[in-house]
Amino acid sequence: DIQMTQSPSSLSASVGDRVTITCRASQTIGSFLNWYQQHPGKAPKLLIFAASALQSGVPSRFSGTGSGTDFTLTISSLRPEDFATYFCQQTNRTPYTFGQGTSLEVK
Amino acid sequence: QVQLQESGPGLVKPSETLSLTCTVTGVSIGSYHWSWIRQPPGKGLEWIGYISVSGSPDYSPSLRGRVTISADTSKNQFSLRLDSVTAADTAVYFCAGRGQRQCDNWGQGILVAVSS
C-alpha cells in the first residue's frame, strides 16, 4: 500500500492567516492526489482533485500544488468556516489510501 | 443535485455480517464509480473499496475476503457486505462516488457498532 503522511497533524491559526498543509506519498503517485475537508460529525467534502484542480463551488482561497510524492494544500486567508480537519488521499493505485489528517484549530 | 443516503442496521453482533445500502439520487449509478469509506470513532478515513462503471469491484487488501461491494442499477443503489465482523469494524460508514479518481459526492454516514 502507498502510505500518505500529512504534516502537521494539528495546526493553530487565526482568521486571516495563510496556512499550508503538506502531504507526502511513500512512492510516486503522479498528480493523483485529492484533498478533503471534514467538519465534526459531517461527511468529508472534496476541495481539490488531481493535485491542483479546484472542485466546483469551493472558494478560490483554497489551492493545491505538487506532483510525484510531495503535495501542499494552501488556504490563503482563513475564514471561520475553514477550521476543520483536512485529509489527503492518493488515487494512483488501489487501495486509495488517506493521510492521517490535519486538524486546523483556532489559535 | 446528487444525493447519497446510507441505510442499514446500526448494531451488528460479532461474527455476523454487516450490510449497508447506499441510495443515489440525481444521477444514474451506472455512469460513475462508487466507493465505501469508513471512519472509526475519533480516527481517520479508511478506503474499503469501490465498484467501477463497468461493475467491477476492487477492495482494500486488509478487508479482501470479507468484503463485497455490489450495485443494483434498477434501484440506483450500491451495497456493502462485510462478513465476520469484530469490534474493530465499528465505524461510521460513508458511501461516496462519481469520478474514477475522486469522491465528488458523499452520504452523511451511518454509525455501525459491533457489539453483543
Side-chain angles (χ1 to χ4, degrees), chain A residues 11-89:
Chain A
L11 175 59
S12 296
S14 301
V15 172
D17 285 353
R18 178 185 180 90
V19 300
T20 297
I21 299 168
T22 65
C23 182
R24 174 164 289 176
S26 61
Q27 58 187 268
T28 185
I29 58 171
S31 295
F32 294 114
L33 190 284
N34 305 319
W35 289 100
Y36 297 90
Q37 175 194 64
Q38 187 180 32
H39 288 102
K42 300 295 187 181
K45 171 187 174 183
L46 178 65
L47 299 176
I48 301 283
F49 63 95
S52 60
L54 192 67
Q55 174 71 342
S56 176
V58 173
S60 59
R61 64 181 179 274
F62 292 92
S63 63
T65 62
S67 66
T69 60
D70 294 312
F71 301 86
T72 62
L73 171 71
T74 299
I75 310 172
S76 60
S77 180
L78 276 174
R79 293 182 59 85
E81 59 267 33
D82 299 337
F83 293 98
T85 300
Y86 293 84
F87 294 94
C88 62
Q89 180 201 27

Side-chain angles (χ1 to χ4, degrees), chain B residues 9-111:
Chain B
L11 180 64
V12 181
K13 290 182 168 55
S15 80
E16 295 191 346
T17 295
L18 180 160
S19 295
L20 297 174
T21 296
C22 183
T23 300
V24 180
T25 57
V27 292
S28 169
I29 66 166
S31 300
Y32 298 99
H33 291 71
W34 304 98
S35 298
W36 286 96
I37 292 153
R38 69 181 182 179
Q39 186 171 37
K43 296 190 177 181
L45 299 167
E46 179 185 10
W47 183 82
I48 297 171
Y50 73 62
I51 187 160
S52 70
V53 168
S54 66
S56 299
D58 196 352
Y59 306 123
S60 172
S62 66
L63 297 173
R64 196 166 287 143
R66 292 201 297 136
V67 63
T68 304
I69 296 174
S70 59
D72 185 339
T73 54
S74 68
K75 295 181 179 179
N76 225 40
Q77 296 175 332
F78 64 104
S79 299
L80 170 70
R81 173 188 171 105
L82 184 64
D83 296 326
S84 305
V85 298
T86 70
D89 295 310
T90 293
V92 175
Y93 285 76
F94 295 100
C95 61
R98 290 284 296 286
Q100 181 180 2
R101 303 282 189 168
Q102 73 275 353
C103 291
D104 304 73
N105 305 105
W106 293 68
Q108 65 186 22
I110 183 169
L111 175 61

